[in-house]
Amino acid sequence: MIPERQEQEHEHDYHEVKPKKQGKKRGRKKIESDVNNVAGYGFISPFLIGFFALTLFPILYSFYLSFTDYDLMGQPEWIGLDNYVRMFTQDQTFWEAMKVTFFYAGVAVPIRLVFALLVALALNKIVEMVGLYRTLLYLPSVVGGSIAVSIMWRQLFGNDGAVNSILSSLGLPTHAWLGDPDTAIWTLIVLYGWQFGSSMLIFLAGLRNIPKTYYEASSVDGAGPLKQFFIITLPLLTPVILFNTVMQVIQGFMAFTPSFVVTNGGPVNSTLLYVLYMYRRAFEYFEMGYASAMAWVMLVIIAIFTALIFKSSPHWVHYESESK
Amino acid sequence: MKKWLLFIVTLIFGLVLTACSSGGEEAAGEQNEQEENGDQVTLRMSWWGSQSRHDQTQEIIKKFEDEYPNINIQAEFTGFDGYFEKMAASAAGNNLPDIMQQNFGEYLNQYADKDLLADLTEFVDSGAIDVEGVSDTIMESGKKNGKLLGIPTGTNALTAFYNKDMLEEVGVEAPSEDWTWEQYKELAKQVHEETGKFGTRLMEPKNLFEYYLREKGYKLFNEDGTALGYDDDKLLEDYFKMNLDMVEAGVAPGYDVIQQIKGVEDELIVHGEAPFDFRWSNQATALASAAGDKQIEMTLLPGENNEQGMYLKPAMLWSISENSKHKEEAAKFINFFTNNIEVYKIGGSDRGVPIKAEIREQMQADLSETDKKVFEYIELVTENSSPIDSNFPPASSEILAKLEQVDEQVMYGQLTPKEGAKEFRSMAEDILSRE
């Protein structure tokens, strides 16, 4: 939700001349329209109920719980800031999980974005059967968050898995990928990068939007493909890059399934992603209050990162509309 | 034309179904008159386990429903991973299943602490659950704070499994009941040197460090569960060191190998990769059937005082949740499970050796080879054991998870055994001081 709000703010920055809303005339007309709106409210009520009961209320309730000691079964007991204090000052594992998550998001997100962009560029050149390729490349993301892919990953990188079989058939040394604290996180990073489909589709749409005339004009002036990429494609793609970066950073911080299924946080907590640790606090140690506090800390972190990305955007994002 | 045909077929099908089901109810009514007036009751029941247990339990439920046609059992089952997480969420919603498979130790204590389980004493007193003749020590394991919170499904004990073929191949003698840690290490080393395979499996710390402490005359937690039950960190240091030495010498596999094992069917002993494996006795069937024609034998765990370290444990418990609206009916199921020979004909010793002597005797005649060994083994343990420790604090699941974590760190060489032992104590004290 944060990026949406931020995006609005950010749009305001650029469209400084906002059409001012005319003050509505109050009175009979207003009442009439309210009556007419009943049907409208009736129709959107499923969404409204869903939003208030399943989104807004749980969010606020979890905020309340983050100040309590709540074991899921008894009554929440108010303890003020204790959860937060304990998290920052006493909980070693919290910091470990934080470190792993920052590393994961910091490495996996750029890899996924670069990969998605490269594939999108390639697809943009292909004319025949582009639909087929697009679908095939998108598939890993469709089944992306699912348990099945994670289980497959566990098999692939297992000691007797396909990766080691291929390595040994090539005469290369094999490795306990998931069993080594130094390499386990990398298998998760590769898994994240592999599911590049949705960012790729968005890049592809962005690429299609760049007018062909620019390329034609530049090639008349003698620019090669590499130069064209840096002076035309990349600058015109920056709004899409901004969007993709924000979405992927959020996803990266919130990753859960891979570390839960592929490695279960191990070995030696080397793949203990933040959300997995939060889940353990909530459902294995019955500390829902503490877990709620962790969730709010993550929310703040994501909000800060999103804000930073938006703040930096005027320096690198170019909107075509501005340059007119 | 076709639509008409479809309509008629549906109609006939529907009629036949209705006829069948009402017929069934009548028949059931005749069979069990007193139940006829009672409304249909649906019970929810949950357990964890392997696929074979799921199949067996559903067959047992069918038998139960045949006998009590007014009771319907809705099964909810998963593997052990995730089971208690799911139950915690149900408990939060005041929605625990009527009958739940409960685990002895930290879980039972956690649930007892929150008054989530019904006291079964009245059902035992009234005879609704017949546990006549079950030994006190076994019944005791289902009690907490003076309430009977669970009926054991069967008895279990830690077991040293060994692959006799592999030992014979090397020409060493199979371990006897009174083998020591030294002998264990020696045997493992010999097998490793002769065969190039592993000499043993790396021990998992949760149960085995506790056994190790008991064998040395200590407990994992003190009497009231407010602190660790041993003062000298040398104990844990020695335990770590014993395992680490074997891992470093290649006699035991490290965690990089252990982590790949998913389930009993996948264990090293099953594939002839290591001769020793320490685990619970009710897994004998799963091990033996996966191992095929290898001779898997059972004996007591090593140690000079192993009769002091060994104990009988309720394999798991059947509990009734406090929020259940049909406690009577749930009690009927537990009674059925405990007293009906059919249950054990289907399930064997998968949930432990039956707690009732009569059932055990009735089973003797047609026991499988493996079950026979398990029965004999449990008898051996009964004679060579001391009572189980039930002083686990509610936070022990977190503490035991820390023990596992430190064990990993030591085996990966990130901490020395000495540092590991110290680290575990400070972590455990932190957690206990929060309670």
Side-chain angles (χ1 to χ4, degrees):
Chain A
M1 259 184 301
I2 292 146
E4 276 169 35
R5 201 184 63 215
Q6 296 277 7
E7 201 152 32
Q8 277 166 10
E9 280 173 18
H10 144 99
E11 274 176 17
H12 292 168
D13 290 346
Y14 291 99
H15 306 286
E16 276 178 16
V17 193
K18 282 183 285 188
K20 278 199 175 168
K21 276 182 189 163
Q22 299 285 323
K24 269 187 191 163
K25 277 190 181 171
R26 312 218 163 239
R28 207 186 336 149
K29 208 169 182 185
K30 176 81 166 62
I31 293 164
E32 242 175 46
S33 78
D34 276 356
V35 174
N36 291 340
N37 284 345
V38 168
Y41 283 117
F43 279 116
I44 62 166
S45 61
F47 164 75
L48 286 180
I49 293 167
F51 174 72
F52 284 110
L54 301 175
T55 308
L56 195 64
F57 172 72
I59 288 176
L60 295 176
Y61 191 58
S62 98
F63 189 60
Y64 159 71
L65 284 182
S66 75
F67 298 105
T68 63
D69 183 7
Y70 177 45
D71 61 12
L72 272 173
M73 301 165 200
Q75 288 300 314
E77 184 189 325
W78 185 266
I79 53 167
L81 286 170
D82 280 9
N83 283 329
Y84 292 94
V85 172
R86 187 180 133 206
M87 195 185 308
F88 288 112
T89 58
Q90 288 171 14
D91 192 349
Q92 264 181 43
T93 317
F94 167 80
W95 290 110
E96 274 171 45
M98 191 75 106
K99 225 168 74 187
V100 172
T101 309
F102 266 81
F103 179 77
Y104 176 78
V107 177
V109 169
I111 288 182
R112 182 191 269 193
L113 288 175
V114 169
F115 209 58
L117 180 58
L118 289 178
V119 176
L121 284 169
L123 277 186
N124 199 28
K125 294 269 180 263
I126 295 172
V127 185
E128 275 178 47
M129 304 230 288
V130 64
L132 177 71
Y133 290 116
R134 213 165 41 200
T135 312
L136 284 178
L137 289 163
Y138 189 51
L139 266 181
S141 310
V142 180
V143 284
S146 79
I147 302 284
V149 169
S150 302
I151 289 177
M152 180 191 83
W153 217 251
R154 199 168 72 194
Q155 309 275 10
L156 280 179
F157 284 91
N159 284 359
D160 304 322
V163 174
N164 275 346
S165 306
I166 293 169
L167 282 179
S168 73
S169 70
L170 293 175
L172 296 167
T174 59
H175 186 75
W177 301 104
L178 300 176
D180 182 341
D182 294 330
T183 55
I185 187 76
W186 285 100
T187 64
L188 299 191
I189 287 173
V190 173
L191 173 58
Y192 187 83
W194 178 62
Q195 297 166 337
F196 60 83
S198 63
S199 332
M200 175 204 64
L201 279 190
I202 295 166
F203 276 136
L204 198 56
L207 288 171
R208 289 278 154 93
N209 261 340
I210 301 175
K212 289 264 185 303
T213 50
Y214 291 1
Y215 293 102
E216 285 158 10
S218 68
S219 68
V220 168
D221 289 341
L226 202 65
K227 194 153 191 190
Q228 281 181 341
F229 174 74
F230 281 109
I231 61 172
I232 301 171
T233 313
L234 209 53
L236 289 178
L237 209 55
T238 44
V240 180
I241 295 177
L242 173 71
F243 174 78
N244 266 344
T245 310
V246 171
M247 295 312 284
Q248 293 307 324
V249 165
I250 294 170
Q251 265 196 35
F253 276 117
M254 295 187 355
F256 170 76
T257 324
S259 73
F260 182 60
V261 178
V262 182
T263 54
N264 198 14
V268 219
N269 287 350
S270 65
T271 58
L272 184 68
L273 292 180
Y274 192 87
V275 183
L276 174 60
Y277 181 51
M278 192 165 93
Y279 167 84
R280 285 197 180 158
R281 279 284 161 203
F283 294 108
E284 280 178 31
Y285 308 143
F286 305 107
E287 292 178 313
M288 195 43 101
Y290 191 81
S292 295
M294 282 186 69
W296 278 86
V297 168
M298 184 40 73
L299 183 89
V300 170
I301 290 173
I302 292 177
I304 291 172
F305 265 85
T306 315
L308 284 178
I309 294 170
F310 275 107
K311 274 267 186 265
S312 74
S313 67
H315 304 293
W316 58 275
V317 177
H318 306 274
Y319 289 94
E320 241 187 309
S321 53
E322 293 166 63
S323 53
K324 276 172 190 167
Chain B
M1 187 64 189
K2 272 186 180 169
K3 270 187 186 166
W4 276 108
L5 201 67
L6 191 71
F7 175 69
I8 289 165
V9 169
T10 320
L11 196 71
I12 292 169
F13 202 67
L15 282 174
V16 170
L17 272 183
T18 347
C20 278
S21 64
S22 64
E25 264 166 37
E26 271 168 38
E30 280 164 29
Q31 229 178 32
N32 211 330
E33 270 175 45
Q34 69 188 90
E35 308 288 356
E36 205 186 8
N37 303 334
D39 294 330
Q40 281 286 318
V41 169
T42 301
L43 296 178
R44 285 165 57 226
M45 168 174 159
S46 64
W47 70 87
W48 74 84
S50 59
Q51 189 56 47
S52 63
R53 181 181 293 166
H54 299 330
D55 297 342
Q56 290 162 3
T57 311
Q58 275 165 319
E59 217 177 304
I60 291 168
I61 288 176
K62 213 169 277 161
K63 289 255 185 236
F64 174 77
E65 286 174 338
D66 285 347
E67 196 154 314
Y68 297 93
N70 66 321
I71 304 178
N72 250 321
I73 292 192
Q74 211 181 315
E76 299 173 6
F77 48 87
T78 62
F80 186 75
D81 284 339
Y83 177 81
F84 278 99
E85 286 87 329
K86 193 176 151 207
M87 290 299 121
S90 308
N94 216 1
N95 193 27
L96 277 175
D98 302 274
I99 308 164
M100 81 176 276
Q101 188 174 305
Q102 178 61 264
N103 207 10
F104 176 81
E106 71 266 32
Y107 287 108
L108 179 69
N109 296 1
Q110 220 160 23
Y111 279 72
D113 243 39
K114 316 228 184 300
D115 291 325
L116 288 165
L117 302 176
D119 188 356
L120 303 180
T121 315
E122 53 168 315
F123 297 110
V124 169
D125 289 348
S126 73
I129 299 176
D130 175 14
V131 287
E132 190 75 32
V134 177
S135 86
D136 285 347
T137 44
I138 289 177
M139 289 309 290
E140 195 61 40
S141 62
K143 283 185 189 157
K144 189 76 196 170
N145 308 334
K147 288 183 191 165
L148 180 63
L149 300 177
I151 305 286
T153 61
T155 322
N156 239 0
L158 279 172
T159 313
F161 288 97
Y162 61 93
N163 181 336
K164 206 174 169 194
D165 299 333
M166 236 176 135
L167 296 178
E168 272 170 6
E169 200 185 308
V170 179
V172 293
E173 252 179 63
S176 60
E177 296 145 25
D178 50 5
W179 58 327
T180 63
W181 288 110
E182 287 309 315
Q183 284 167 329
Y184 158 68
K185 282 188 277 189
E186 190 52 38
L187 283 174
K189 204 174 129 207
Q190 267 177 303
V191 174
H192 169 65
E193 278 166 4
E194 294 279 329
T195 63
K197 292 176 177 163
F198 291 120
T200 183
R201 184 207 194 279
L202 182 61
M203 296 196 278
E204 58 91 21
K206 273 189 183 179
N207 292 304
L208 286 157
F209 178 56
E210 199 214 344
Y211 165 80
Y212 185 86
L213 282 176
R214 284 173 56 97
E215 195 261 320
K216 303 259 185 270
Y218 300 90
K219 289 177 177 190
L220 190 52
F221 295 102
N222 68 0
E223 280 306 324
D224 50 2
T226 52
L228 291 178
Y230 64 99
D231 290 326
D232 189 359
D233 280 340
K234 190 84 174 45
L235 287 157
L236 182 54
E237 191 188 330
D238 287 347
Y239 170 85
F240 281 150
K241 202 163 172 327
M242 172 170 76
N243 287 314
L244 184 63
D245 285 348
M246 288 204 272
V247 171
E248 281 177 344
V251 175
Y255 271 110
D256 51 338
V257 174
I258 298 293
Q259 274 195 332
Q260 303 292 320
I261 299 170
K262 303 280 168 201
V264 187
E265 294 82 358
D266 213 21
E267 281 292 345
L268 299 172
I269 187 170
V270 164
H271 297 302
E273 303 274 342
F276 294 113
D277 193 2
F278 300 156
R279 59 182 60 248
W280 294 104
S281 54
N282 65 323
Q283 290 171 324
T285 313
L287 270 187
S289 65
D293 52 5
K294 299 183 189 75
Q295 284 188 72
I296 306 286
E297 302 291 335
M298 308 168 76
T299 192
L300 301 180
L301 261 53
E304 269 151 32
N305 313 307
N306 59 5
E307 72 285 353
Q308 181 180 304
M310 296 295 308
Y311 54 93
L312 287 173
K313 181 193 169 209
M316 43 210 104
L317 307 155
W318 287 123
S319 292
I320 299 177
S321 67
E322 188 61 61
N323 64 29
S324 168
K325 292 193 186 74
H326 307 289
K327 295 197 178 77
E328 299 265 328
E329 285 80 4
K332 278 180 188 159
F333 176 81
I334 297 178
N335 186 50
F336 178 84
F337 192 95
T338 315
N339 289 292
N340 198 314
I341 182 75
E342 294 296 322
V343 167
Y344 297 94
K345 281 193 179 145
I346 297 167
S349 63
D350 181 66
R351 280 191 171 90
V353 169
I355 56 174
K356 289 208 115 186
E358 299 126 72
I359 300 278
R360 287 202 296 270
E361 277 155 28
Q362 284 180 58
M363 281 177 80
Q364 285 297 350
D366 38 24
L367 275 182
S368 73
E369 271 309 299
T370 315
D371 279 339
K372 218 174 261 172
K373 278 183 203 164
V374 177
F375 274 55
E376 277 166 25
Y377 179 70
I378 291 295
E379 228 149 86
L380 177 70
V381 176
T382 312
E383 288 154 23
N384 295 287
S385 59
S386 60
I388 190 168
D389 297 329
S390 57
N391 52 345
F392 281 51
S396 49
S397 60
E398 193 180 348
I399 295 174
L400 289 170
K402 288 288 179 203
L403 178 62
E404 273 187 333
Q405 186 195 325
V406 174
D407 189 63
E408 276 186 29
Q409 283 175 304
V410 172
M411 296 308 145
Y412 274 113
Q414 297 181 347
L415 294 174
T416 65
K418 195 172 180 160
E419 288 165 350
K422 236 178 98 187
E423 176 83 2
F424 173 63
R425 178 174 298 278
S426 83
M427 281 176 164
E429 277 169 0
D430 267 3
I431 295 166
L432 287 166
S433 69
R434 274 211 319 268
E435 289 300 307

